[in-house]
Amino acid sequence: MAIATYTYTQSGAVNTDFNFIPYLQASHVTVTLDGGAQTLTTHYTLEAGNVVRFVTAPTDGQVIVISRDSDITQKLVSFADGSNLTEEDLNNDASQGIFLQQ
């Protein structure tokens, strides 16, 4: 899952924004901070442009790991006979397949 994980080391304790890759649902994104055993955190928001923004900047030297973990058991798009195919549904369906392969 190397494509679906980004690792950063905080430099100077000033950065609050960290770039990430596309995701379909916020629940598919996890963020951990090193606390020996990579402590899960929820002290961030997901911003436009695939940015993870911390409420408070991580401390200098702290390791930040941002991962996309798409749920293989949850189908995000369902198609039905006679329904309209939308661009968004088709894109989401294709993206979910790619994300699960990664």
Side-chain angles (χ1 to χ4, degrees):
M1 287 246 250
I3 294 174
T5 300
Y6 279 27
T7 302
Y8 296 95
T9 301
Q10 177 68 297
S11 177
V14 294
N15 297 326
T16 57
D17 291 3
F18 295 87
N19 293 322
F20 188 52
I21 56 179
Y23 56 91
L24 294 173
Q25 291 185 341
S27 63
H28 296 173
V29 178
T30 58
V31 179
T32 58
L33 301 172
D34 68 347
Q38 290 293 322
T39 306
L40 186 65
T41 184
T42 57
H43 298 285
Y44 65 89
T45 57
L46 297 171
E47 302 294 329
N50 301 318
V51 172
V52 171
R53 177 171 292 152
F54 284 92
V55 175
T56 304
T59 59
D60 187 33
Q62 197 162 32
V63 176
I64 300 109
V65 178
I66 307 168
S67 300
R68 180 187 64 221
D69 186 13
S70 300
D71 185 354
I72 197 165
T73 64
Q74 180 187 22
K75 181 92 172 109
L76 299 179
V77 178
S78 293
F79 299 103
D81 287 341
S83 66
N84 292 328
L85 291 176
T86 66
E87 177 184 4
E88 181 180 15
D89 284 346
L90 292 170
N91 286 340
N92 285 342
D93 192 53
S95 293
Q96 185 178 19
I98 292 168
F99 294 170
L100 290 172
Q101 290 176 12
Q102 293 175 339

Coordinates of all heavy atoms in Angstrom, one line a residue:
M1 N 0.8 -1.2 0.0 CA 0.0 0.0 0.0 C 0.9 1.3 0.0 O 0.5 2.3 0.5 CB -0.9 0.0 1.2 CG -2.0 -1.0 1.1 SD -3.5 -0.1 1.1 CE -4.3 -0.4 2.6
A2 N 2.0 1.2 -0.6 CA 2.9 2.4 -0.6 C 2.3 3.6 -1.3 O 2.5 4.7 -0.9 CB 4.2 2.0 -1.3
I3 N 1.5 3.4 -2.3 CA 0.8 4.5 -3.0 C -0.2 5.2 -2.1 O -0.4 6.3 -2.2 CB 0.2 4.0 -4.3 CG1 1.3 3.5 -5.2 CG2 -0.7 5.1 -4.9 CD1 0.7 2.8 -6.5
A4 N -0.8 4.5 -1.1 CA -1.8 5.0 -0.3 C -1.3 5.5 1.0 O -2.1 5.8 1.9 CB -2.9 3.9 -0.1
T5 N 0.0 5.7 1.2 CA 0.5 6.1 2.5 C 1.6 7.2 2.2 O 2.5 7.0 1.4 CB 1.1 5.0 3.3 OG1 0.1 4.0 3.6 CG2 1.7 5.5 4.6
Y6 N 1.4 8.3 2.9 CA 2.4 9.4 2.9 C 3.0 9.5 4.3 O 2.3 9.5 5.3 CB 1.8 10.7 2.5 CG 1.6 10.9 1.0 CD1 1.4 9.8 0.1 CD2 1.6 12.2 0.5 CE1 1.2 10.0 -1.2 CE2 1.4 12.4 -0.9 CZ 1.2 11.3 -1.7 OH 1.0 11.5 -3.1
T7 N 4.3 9.7 4.4 CA 5.0 9.9 5.6 C 5.8 11.2 5.6 O 6.5 11.4 4.7 CB 6.0 8.7 5.9 OG1 5.2 7.5 5.9 CG2 6.7 8.9 7.3
Y8 N 5.6 12.0 6.6 CA 6.3 13.3 6.7 C 7.0 13.3 8.1 O 6.5 12.7 9.0 CB 5.3 14.4 6.7 CG 4.6 14.6 5.4 CD1 3.3 14.0 5.2 CD2 5.1 15.3 4.3 CE1 2.6 14.2 4.0 CE2 4.4 15.5 3.1 CZ 3.2 14.9 3.0 OH 2.5 15.1 1.8
T9 N 8.1 14.1 8.2 CA 8.7 14.4 9.4 C 8.6 15.9 9.6 O 9.1 16.7 8.8 CB 10.2 13.9 9.5 OG1 10.2 12.5 9.3 CG2 10.8 14.3 10.8
Q10 N 8.0 16.3 10.7 CA 7.8 17.7 11.0 C 9.1 18.4 11.1 O 10.0 17.9 11.8 CB 6.9 17.9 12.2 CG 6.7 19.4 12.6 CD 5.8 20.2 11.6 OE1 6.2 20.4 10.5 NE2 4.7 20.6 12.1
S11 N 9.2 19.6 10.5 CA 10.5 20.3 10.5 C 10.2 21.7 11.1 O 9.5 22.5 10.4 CB 11.1 20.4 9.1 OG 12.3 21.2 9.2
G12 N 10.6 22.0 12.3 CA 10.4 23.3 12.9 C 9.1 23.5 13.6 O 8.9 24.6 14.1
A13 N 8.3 22.5 13.6 CA 7.0 22.6 14.3 C 6.1 23.8 13.9 O 5.5 24.5 14.6 CB 7.2 22.7 15.8
V14 N 6.2 24.1 12.6 CA 5.4 25.2 12.0 C 4.4 24.8 11.0 O 3.4 25.5 10.8 CB 6.3 26.3 11.4 CG1 7.1 27.0 12.5 CG2 7.1 25.8 10.3
N15 N 4.6 23.6 10.4 CA 3.6 23.2 9.3 C 2.4 22.6 9.9 O 2.4 21.7 10.8 CB 4.3 22.1 8.4 CG 5.5 22.6 7.7 OD1 5.5 23.8 7.3 ND2 6.5 21.8 7.5
T16 N 1.2 23.1 9.4 CA 0.0 22.5 9.8 C -0.7 21.7 8.7 O -1.6 20.9 8.9 CB -1.0 23.5 10.4 OG1 -1.2 24.5 9.3 CG2 -0.5 24.2 11.7
D17 N -0.3 22.0 7.4 CA -0.9 21.5 6.2 C 0.1 20.4 5.6 O 1.2 20.7 5.4 CB -1.2 22.5 5.2 CG -2.3 23.5 5.7 OD1 -2.8 23.3 6.8 OD2 -2.7 24.3 4.9
F18 N -0.5 19.3 5.3 CA 0.3 18.2 4.6 C -0.6 17.7 3.5 O -1.7 17.3 3.6 CB 0.6 17.1 5.6 CG 1.5 17.6 6.7 CD1 1.0 18.2 7.9 CD2 2.8 17.4 6.6 CE1 1.8 18.6 8.9 CE2 3.7 17.9 7.7 CZ 3.1 18.5 8.8
N19 N 0.0 17.6 2.3 CA -0.6 17.1 1.1 C -0.8 15.6 1.2 O 0.0 14.9 1.7 CB 0.2 17.5 -0.2 CG 0.2 19.0 -0.4 OD1 -0.7 19.7 -0.2 ND2 1.4 19.5 -0.8
F20 N -1.9 15.2 0.5 CA -2.3 13.8 0.5 C -2.8 13.5 -0.9 O -3.0 14.3 -1.7 CB -3.3 13.5 1.6 CG -3.5 12.1 1.8 CD1 -2.5 11.2 2.0 CD2 -4.8 11.6 1.9 CE1 -2.8 9.8 2.2 CE2 -5.1 10.3 2.1 CZ -4.0 9.4 2.2
I21 N -3.2 12.2 -1.1 CA -3.7 11.7 -2.3 C -5.3 11.7 -2.3 O -5.9 11.8 -1.2 CB -3.2 10.3 -2.7 CG1 -3.5 9.4 -1.5 CG2 -1.7 10.4 -3.0 CD1 -3.0 7.9 -1.8
P22 N -5.9 11.6 -3.4 CA -7.4 11.6 -3.5 C -8.0 10.5 -2.6 O -7.4 9.4 -2.5 CB -7.7 11.4 -4.9 CG -6.5 12.0 -5.7 CD -5.3 11.6 -4.8
Y23 N -9.2 10.7 -2.1 CA -9.9 9.7 -1.3 C -11.4 10.0 -1.6 O -11.8 11.0 -2.1 CB -9.6 9.9 0.2 CG -9.9 11.2 0.7 CD1 -11.2 11.6 1.2 CD2 -9.0 12.3 0.6 CE1 -11.5 12.8 1.6 CE2 -9.3 13.5 1.1 CZ -10.5 13.8 1.6 OH -10.8 15.1 2.0
L24 N -12.2 9.0 -1.4 CA -13.6 9.1 -1.7 C -14.5 9.5 -0.4 O -15.5 10.1 -0.6 CB -14.2 7.8 -2.2 CG -13.6 7.4 -3.6 CD1 -14.0 6.0 -4.0 CD2 -14.0 8.4 -4.6
Q25 N -14.0 9.0 0.7 CA -14.8 9.4 2.0 C -13.8 9.7 3.1 O -12.7 9.0 3.1 CB -15.6 8.2 2.4 CG -16.8 7.9 1.5 CD -17.7 6.9 2.1 OE1 -17.4 6.1 2.9 NE2 -19.0 6.8 1.6
A26 N -14.1 10.6 3.9 CA -13.2 11.0 5.0 C -12.9 9.8 5.9 O -11.8 9.7 6.5 CB -13.9 12.1 5.8
S27 N -13.8 8.9 6.0 CA -13.6 7.7 6.9 C -12.5 6.8 6.3 O -12.0 5.9 7.1 CB -14.9 6.9 7.1 OG -15.3 6.4 5.8
H28 N -12.1 7.0 5.1 CA -11.0 6.2 4.5 C -9.6 6.8 4.8 O -8.6 6.1 4.5 CB -11.2 6.1 3.0 CG -12.4 5.4 2.6 ND1 -12.8 5.4 1.3 CD2 -13.4 4.7 3.3 CE1 -13.9 4.7 1.2 NE2 -14.3 4.3 2.4
V29 N -9.6 7.9 5.5 CA -8.3 8.5 5.8 C -8.0 8.4 7.3 O -8.8 8.6 8.1 CB -8.3 10.1 5.4 CG1 -7.0 10.7 5.8 CG2 -8.6 10.3 4.0
T30 N -6.7 7.9 7.5 CA -6.3 7.8 8.9 C -5.0 8.6 9.0 O -4.2 8.6 8.1 CB -6.0 6.4 9.4 OG1 -5.1 5.8 8.5 CG2 -7.3 5.6 9.4
V31 N -4.8 9.2 10.2 CA -3.6 10.0 10.5 C -3.0 9.6 11.8 O -3.7 9.5 12.8 CB -3.9 11.5 10.5 CG1 -2.7 12.3 10.8 CG2 -4.5 12.0 9.2
T32 N -1.7 9.2 11.8 CA -1.1 8.9 13.0 C 0.1 9.7 13.3 O 0.7 10.2 12.3 CB -0.6 7.4 13.0 OG1 0.2 7.1 11.9 CG2 -1.8 6.4 12.9
L33 N 0.4 9.9 14.5 CA 1.6 10.6 15.0 C 2.5 9.7 15.8 O 2.0 8.8 16.5 CB 1.2 11.8 15.8 CG 0.3 12.9 15.2 CD1 -0.1 13.9 16.2 CD2 1.1 13.5 14.0
D34 N 3.8 9.8 15.6 CA 4.7 8.9 16.4 C 4.6 9.2 17.9 O 4.8 10.3 18.3 CB 6.1 8.9 15.9 CG 6.9 10.2 16.1 OD1 6.3 11.2 16.5 OD2 8.1 10.1 16.0
G35 N 4.3 8.2 18.6 CA 4.3 8.2 20.0 C 4.8 6.9 20.5 O 4.4 6.3 21.4
G36 N 5.8 6.4 19.7 CA 6.3 5.1 20.0 C 5.6 4.1 19.1 O 6.2 3.4 18.3
A37 N 4.3 4.0 19.2 CA 3.5 3.0 18.5 C 2.6 3.7 17.5 O 1.5 3.1 17.2 CB 2.8 2.1 19.5
Q38 N 3.0 4.8 17.0 CA 2.1 5.5 16.0 C 0.7 5.7 16.6 O -0.2 4.9 16.4 CB 2.0 4.8 14.7 CG 3.3 4.8 13.9 CD 3.7 6.2 13.4 OE1 2.8 7.0 13.0 NE2 4.9 6.5 13.4
T39 N 0.5 6.8 17.3 CA -0.7 7.1 17.9 C -1.7 7.7 16.9 O -1.4 8.7 16.3 CB -0.5 8.1 19.1 OG1 0.5 7.6 19.9 CG2 -1.7 8.4 19.8
L40 N -2.9 7.1 16.8 CA -4.0 7.6 16.0 C -4.4 9.0 16.5 O -4.6 9.2 17.7 CB -5.1 6.6 16.0 CG -6.3 6.9 15.0 CD1 -5.8 6.9 13.5 CD2 -7.4 6.0 15.2
T41 N -4.7 9.9 15.6 CA -5.1 11.3 16.0 C -6.3 11.7 15.2 O -6.5 11.2 14.1 CB -4.0 12.3 15.8 OG1 -4.5 13.6 16.4 CG2 -3.6 12.5 14.4
T42 N -7.1 12.5 15.8 CA -8.3 13.1 15.1 C -8.2 14.6 15.1 O -9.2 15.3 14.9 CB -9.6 12.6 15.7 OG1 -9.6 13.0 17.1 CG2 -9.8 11.1 15.6
H43 N -7.1 15.2 15.5 CA -6.9 16.6 15.6 C -6.5 17.2 14.3 O -5.5 17.9 14.2 CB -5.9 16.9 16.7 CG -6.3 16.5 18.1 ND1 -7.3 17.1 18.8 CD2 -5.9 15.4 18.8 CE1 -7.5 16.5 19.9 NE2 -6.7 15.4 20.0
Y44 N -7.3 17.0 13.3 CA -7.1 17.5 11.9 C -8.4 17.6 11.2 O -9.4 17.1 11.6 CB -6.1 16.6 11.2 CG -6.7 15.2 10.8 CD1 -7.4 15.0 9.7 CD2 -6.5 14.2 11.7 CE1 -8.0 13.8 9.4 CE2 -7.1 12.9 11.4 CZ -7.8 12.8 10.3 OH -8.3 11.5 10.0
T45 N -8.4 18.4 10.1 CA -9.5 18.5 9.2 C -9.0 18.1 7.8 O -7.8 18.3 7.5 CB -10.1 19.9 9.2 OG1 -9.1 20.8 8.8 CG2 -10.7 20.2 10.5
L46 N -9.9 17.7 7.0 CA -9.6 17.4 5.6 C -10.0 18.6 4.8 O -11.2 19.0 4.8 CB -10.2 16.1 5.1 CG -9.8 14.9 5.8 CD1 -10.7 13.7 5.4 CD2 -8.3 14.6 5.5
E47 N -9.1 19.2 4.1 CA -9.4 20.4 3.3 C -9.4 20.2 1.8 O -8.9 19.1 1.4 CB -8.3 21.5 3.6 CG -8.2 21.9 5.1 CD -9.4 22.5 5.7 OE1 -10.1 23.3 4.9 OE2 -9.7 22.3 6.8
A48 N -9.9 21.1 1.1 CA -10.0 21.0 -0.4 C -8.6 20.8 -0.9 O -7.6 21.3 -0.3 CB -10.6 22.2 -1.0
G49 N -8.4 20.1 -2.0 CA -7.1 19.9 -2.6 C -6.3 18.8 -2.0 O -5.1 18.7 -2.1
N50 N -7.1 17.9 -1.2 CA -6.4 16.8 -0.6 C -5.4 17.2 0.4 O -4.2 16.7 0.3 CB -5.9 15.8 -1.6 CG -7.0 15.3 -2.5 OD1 -8.1 15.0 -2.1 ND2 -6.7 15.2 -3.8
V51 N -5.7 18.1 1.3 CA -4.8 18.6 2.3 C -5.3 18.1 3.7 O -6.5 18.3 4.0 CB -4.7 20.1 2.3 CG1 -3.9 20.7 3.5 CG2 -4.1 20.6 1.0
V52 N -4.4 17.6 4.5 CA -4.7 17.3 5.9 C -4.2 18.5 6.7 O -3.0 18.8 6.6 CB -4.0 16.0 6.4 CG1 -4.1 15.8 7.9 CG2 -4.5 14.8 5.6
R53 N -5.1 19.2 7.4 CA -4.7 20.3 8.2 C -4.9 20.0 9.7 O -6.0 19.8 10.2 CB -5.6 21.5 7.8 CG -5.3 22.8 8.7 CD -6.0 24.0 8.1 NE -5.4 24.3 6.9 CZ -6.0 25.0 5.9 NH1 -7.3 25.3 6.0 NH2 -5.4 25.2 4.7
F54 N -3.8 20.1 10.4 CA -3.8 19.9 11.9 C -4.3 21.1 12.6 O -4.0 22.2 12.2 CB -2.4 19.5 12.4 CG -2.0 18.1 12.0 CD1 -1.3 17.9 10.9 CD2 -2.3 17.1 12.9 CE1 -0.9 16.6 10.6 CE2 -1.9 15.8 12.6 CZ -1.2 15.5 11.4
V55 N -5.0 20.9 13.7 CA -5.5 22.0 14.5 C -4.3 22.7 15.1 O -4.3 23.9 15.2 CB -6.5 21.4 15.6 CG1 -6.9 22.5 16.6 CG2 -7.7 20.8 15.0
T56 N -3.4 21.9 15.6 CA -2.1 22.4 16.2 C -1.0 21.7 15.5 O -1.1 20.5 15.3 CB -2.0 22.1 17.7 OG1 -3.2 22.7 18.3 CG2 -0.8 22.7 18.3
A57 N 0.0 22.4 15.1 CA 1.1 21.8 14.3 C 1.8 20.7 15.2 O 2.0 20.9 16.4 CB 2.2 22.9 14.0
P58 N 2.1 19.6 14.5 CA 2.9 18.6 15.2 C 4.2 19.2 15.7 O 4.7 20.1 15.1 CB 3.1 17.5 14.2 CG 1.9 17.7 13.2 CD 1.7 19.2 13.2
T59 N 4.8 18.5 16.7 CA 6.1 19.0 17.2 C 7.2 18.7 16.3 O 7.2 17.9 15.5 CB 6.4 18.4 18.6 OG1 6.4 17.0 18.5 CG2 5.3 18.8 19.6
D60 N 8.3 19.5 16.5 CA 9.5 19.3 15.6 C 10.0 17.9 15.7 O 10.1 17.3 16.8 CB 10.6 20.3 16.1 CG 11.8 20.3 15.2 OD1 11.6 20.1 13.9 OD2 12.9 20.5 15.6
G61 N 10.2 17.3 14.5 CA 10.8 15.9 14.5 C 9.7 14.9 14.6 O 10.0 13.7 14.4
Q62 N 8.5 15.2 14.8 CA 7.4 14.2 14.9 C 7.1 13.7 13.5 O 7.1 14.4 12.5 CB 6.2 14.9 15.5 CG 5.2 13.9 16.0 CD 4.2 14.5 17.0 OE1 3.8 15.7 16.8 NE2 3.7 13.7 17.9
V63 N 6.9 12.3 13.5 CA 6.6 11.7 12.2 C 5.1 11.6 12.1 O 4.3 11.2 13.0 CB 7.2 10.2 12.2 CG1 6.8 9.5 11.0 CG2 8.7 10.3 12.4
I64 N 4.6 12.1 10.9 CA 3.2 12.1 10.5 C 3.0 11.0 9.4 O 3.7 11.1 8.4 CB 2.7 13.4 10.0 CG1 3.0 14.5 11.1 CG2 1.3 13.4 9.6 CD1 4.1 15.4 10.8
V65 N 2.1 10.1 9.6 CA 1.7 9.1 8.6 C 0.3 9.3 8.3 O -0.6 9.2 9.1 CB 2.0 7.7 9.1 CG1 1.6 6.7 8.1 CG2 3.5 7.5 9.5
I66 N 0.0 9.6 7.0 CA -1.3 9.8 6.5 C -1.6 8.6 5.5 O -0.9 8.4 4.6 CB -1.5 11.1 5.7 CG1 -1.0 12.3 6.6 CG2 -2.9 11.3 5.3 CD1 -0.9 13.6 5.9
S67 N -2.7 7.9 5.8 CA -3.0 6.7 4.9 C -4.4 6.7 4.4 O -5.3 7.2 5.1 CB -2.8 5.4 5.8 OG -1.5 5.3 6.2
R68 N -4.6 6.2 3.2 CA -5.9 6.0 2.7 C -6.2 4.5 2.8 O -5.4 3.7 2.2 CB -6.0 6.5 1.2 CG -7.5 6.2 0.7 CD -7.6 6.5 -0.8 NE -6.8 5.6 -1.5 CZ -6.0 6.0 -2.6 NH1 -6.0 7.2 -3.0 NH2 -5.3 5.1 -3.2
D69 N -7.2 4.1 3.5 CA -7.6 2.7 3.6 C -9.0 2.5 3.2 O -9.9 2.6 4.0 CB -7.4 2.3 5.1 CG -7.6 0.8 5.3 OD1 -7.6 0.0 4.3 OD2 -7.8 0.4 6.4
S70 N -9.2 2.3 1.9 CA -10.5 2.1 1.3 C -11.1 0.8 1.8 O -10.4 -0.2 1.8 CB -10.5 2.2 -0.2 OG -10.0 3.4 -0.6
D71 N -12.4 0.8 2.2 CA -13.1 -0.3 2.7 C -13.5 -1.2 1.5 O -14.4 -0.9 0.8 CB -14.3 0.1 3.5 CG -15.0 -1.0 4.2 OD1 -14.6 -2.2 4.0 OD2 -15.9 -0.7 5.0
I72 N -12.9 -2.4 1.5 CA -13.2 -3.4 0.4 C -14.6 -3.9 0.5 O -15.2 -4.4 -0.4 CB -12.2 -4.5 0.3 CG1 -12.2 -5.2 -1.0 CG2 -12.3 -5.4 1.5 CD1 -11.1 -6.0 -1.3
T73 N -15.2 -3.9 1.7 CA -16.5 -4.5 1.9 C -17.7 -3.5 1.6 O -18.8 -3.8 1.7 CB -16.7 -5.0 3.4 OG1 -16.6 -3.8 4.3 CG2 -15.6 -6.0 3.7
Q74 N -17.3 -2.2 1.4 CA -18.4 -1.2 1.2 C -18.4 -0.7 -0.3 O -17.5 0.0 -0.7 CB -18.1 0.0 2.1 CG -19.1 1.1 2.0 CD -18.7 2.3 2.8 OE1 -17.6 2.5 3.1 NE2 -19.7 3.1 3.1
K75 N -19.4 -1.1 -1.0 CA -19.6 -0.6 -2.4 C -20.2 0.8 -2.3 O -21.2 1.0 -1.7 CB -20.5 -1.6 -3.2 CG -20.7 -1.2 -4.6 CD -19.7 -1.9 -5.5 CE -20.1 -1.7 -6.9 NZ -19.2 -0.8 -7.6
L76 N -19.5 1.8 -2.9 CA -19.9 3.2 -2.8 C -21.0 3.5 -3.8 O -21.7 4.5 -3.6 CB -18.7 4.1 -2.8 CG -17.7 3.9 -1.7 CD1 -16.6 4.9 -1.9 CD2 -18.3 4.1 -0.4
V77 N -21.0 2.8 -4.9 CA -21.9 3.2 -6.0 C -22.7 1.9 -6.4 O -22.1 0.8 -6.6 CB -21.1 3.7 -7.2 CG1 -22.1 4.0 -8.4 CG2 -20.3 4.9 -6.9
S78 N -24.0 2.1 -6.5 CA -24.8 1.0 -7.0 C -25.5 1.4 -8.3 O -26.0 2.6 -8.3 CB -25.9 0.5 -6.0 OG -25.2 0.0 -4.9
F79 N -25.6 0.6 -9.3 CA -26.3 0.9 -10.5 C -27.6 0.1 -10.6 O -27.7 -1.0 -10.1 CB -25.4 0.6 -11.7 CG -24.1 1.3 -11.8 CD1 -22.9 0.7 -11.4 CD2 -24.1 2.6 -12.2 CE1 -21.7 1.4 -11.4 CE2 -22.9 3.3 -12.2 CZ -21.7 2.7 -11.8
A80 N -28.6 0.8 -11.1 CA -29.9 0.1 -11.3 C -30.5 0.3 -12.7 O -30.2 1.3 -13.3 CB -30.9 0.7 -10.3
D81 N -31.2 -0.7 -13.2 CA -31.8 -0.6 -14.5 C -32.7 0.6 -14.6 O -33.4 0.9 -13.7 CB -32.6 -1.9 -14.8 CG -31.8 -3.1 -15.1 OD1 -30.6 -2.9 -15.4 OD2 -32.3 -4.2 -15.0
G82 N -32.6 1.3 -15.7 CA -33.4 2.5 -15.9 C -32.9 3.8 -15.2 O -33.6 4.8 -15.3
S83 N -31.8 3.7 -14.4 CA -31.4 4.9 -13.7 C -30.4 5.7 -14.6 O -29.9 5.2 -15.6 CB -30.6 4.5 -12.4 OG -29.5 3.8 -12.7
N84 N -30.2 6.9 -14.3 CA -29.3 7.7 -15.1 C -27.9 7.5 -14.6 O -27.6 7.5 -13.4 CB -29.6 9.2 -14.9 CG -30.9 9.6 -15.5 OD1 -31.3 9.0 -16.5 ND2 -31.6 10.5 -14.9
L85 N -27.0 7.3 -15.5 CA -25.5 7.2 -15.2 C -25.0 8.6 -15.1 O -25.0 9.3 -16.1 CB -24.8 6.4 -16.3 CG -25.1 4.9 -16.4 CD1 -24.3 4.3 -17.5 CD2 -24.7 4.2 -15.1
T86 N -24.5 8.9 -14.0 CA -23.9 10.3 -13.8 C -22.4 10.2 -13.9 O -21.8 9.1 -13.6 CB -24.3 10.9 -12.5 OG1 -23.7 10.1 -11.4 CG2 -25.8 11.0 -12.3
E87 N -21.8 11.2 -14.3 CA -20.3 11.3 -14.3 C -19.7 11.0 -13.0 O -18.7 10.3 -12.8 CB -19.9 12.7 -14.8 CG -18.4 12.9 -14.8 CD -18.0 14.3 -15.2 OE1 -18.8 15.2 -15.4 OE2 -16.7 14.5 -15.4
E88 N -20.3 11.6 -11.9 CA -19.8 11.4 -10.6 C -19.8 10.0 -10.1 O -18.9 9.4 -9.6 CB -20.6 12.3 -9.6 CG -20.1 12.2 -8.2 CD -20.9 13.0 -7.2 OE1 -22.0 13.5 -7.5 OE2 -20.4 13.2 -6.0
D89 N -21.0 9.3 -10.4 CA -21.1 7.9 -10.1 C -20.0 7.0 -10.8 O -19.4 6.1 -10.2 CB -22.5 7.3 -10.4 CG -23.5 7.7 -9.3 OD1 -23.1 8.2 -8.3 OD2 -24.7 7.6 -9.6
L90 N -19.9 7.3 -12.1 CA -18.9 6.5 -12.9 C -17.5 6.8 -12.4 O -16.7 5.8 -12.2 CB -19.0 6.8 -14.4 CG -20.3 6.3 -15.0 CD1 -20.5 6.9 -16.4 CD2 -20.4 4.8 -15.1
N91 N -17.2 8.0 -12.1 CA -15.8 8.4 -11.6 C -15.6 7.7 -10.2 O -14.5 7.2 -10.0 CB -15.6 9.9 -11.5 CG -15.4 10.5 -12.9 OD1 -15.1 9.8 -13.9 ND2 -15.7 11.8 -13.0
N92 N -16.6 7.8 -9.3 CA -16.4 7.2 -8.0 C -16.2 5.7 -8.1 O -15.4 5.2 -7.4 CB -17.6 7.6 -7.1 CG -17.5 9.0 -6.6 OD1 -16.5 9.7 -6.7 ND2 -18.7 9.5 -6.2
D93 N -17.0 5.1 -8.9 CA -16.9 3.6 -9.1 C -15.5 3.2 -9.6 O -14.8 2.3 -9.1 CB -18.0 3.1 -10.0 CG -18.1 1.6 -10.0 OD1 -18.2 1.0 -8.9 OD2 -18.0 1.0 -11.1
A94 N -15.0 3.9 -10.6 CA -13.6 3.7 -11.2 C -12.6 4.0 -10.1 O -11.6 3.2 -9.9 CB -13.4 4.5 -12.4
S95 N -12.7 5.1 -9.4 CA -11.7 5.4 -8.4 C -11.7 4.4 -7.3 O -10.6 4.0 -6.8 CB -12.0 6.8 -7.8 OG -11.8 7.8 -8.8
Q96 N -12.8 4.0 -6.8 CA -12.8 3.0 -5.8 C -12.1 1.7 -6.2 O -11.3 1.1 -5.4 CB -14.3 2.6 -5.3 CG -14.3 1.7 -4.1 CD -15.7 1.4 -3.6 OE1 -16.7 1.5 -4.3 NE2 -15.7 0.9 -2.4
G97 N -12.3 1.3 -7.4 CA -11.6 0.1 -7.9 C -10.1 0.3 -7.9 O -9.3 -0.6 -7.5
I98 N -9.6 1.4 -8.3 CA -8.2 1.8 -8.3 C -7.6 1.8 -6.9 O -6.6 1.3 -6.6 CB -7.9 3.1 -9.1 CG1 -8.2 2.9 -10.6 CG2 -6.5 3.6 -8.9 CD1 -8.3 4.2 -11.4
F99 N -8.4 2.5 -6.0 CA -7.9 2.7 -4.6 C -7.8 1.3 -3.9 O -6.9 1.1 -3.2 CB -8.8 3.6 -3.9 CG -8.9 5.0 -4.3 CD1 -9.8 5.9 -3.9 CD2 -8.0 5.5 -5.3 CE1 -9.8 7.2 -4.3 CE2 -8.0 6.8 -5.7 CZ -8.9 7.7 -5.2
L100 N -8.8 0.4 -4.2 CA -8.7 -0.9 -3.6 C -7.5 -1.7 -4.1 O -6.9 -2.5 -3.3 CB -10.0 -1.7 -3.8 CG -11.2 -1.1 -3.1 CD1 -12.5 -1.8 -3.6 CD2 -11.1 -1.2 -1.6
Q101 N -7.1 -1.5 -5.3 CA -6.0 -2.2 -5.9 C -4.7 -1.7 -5.3 O -3.7 -2.5 -5.1 CB -5.9 -2.1 -7.4 CG -7.0 -2.9 -8.1 CD -7.0 -2.6 -9.6 OE1 -6.1 -2.1 -10.1 NE2 -8.1 -3.1 -10.2
Q102 N -4.7 -0.4 -5.0 CA -3.4 0.1 -4.4 C -3.3 -0.4 -3.0 O -2.2 -0.4 -2.4 CB -3.5 1.7 -4.4 CG -3.5 2.2 -5.8 CD -3.7 3.7 -5.8 OE1 -4.2 4.3 -4.9 NE2 -3.2 4.4 -6.9

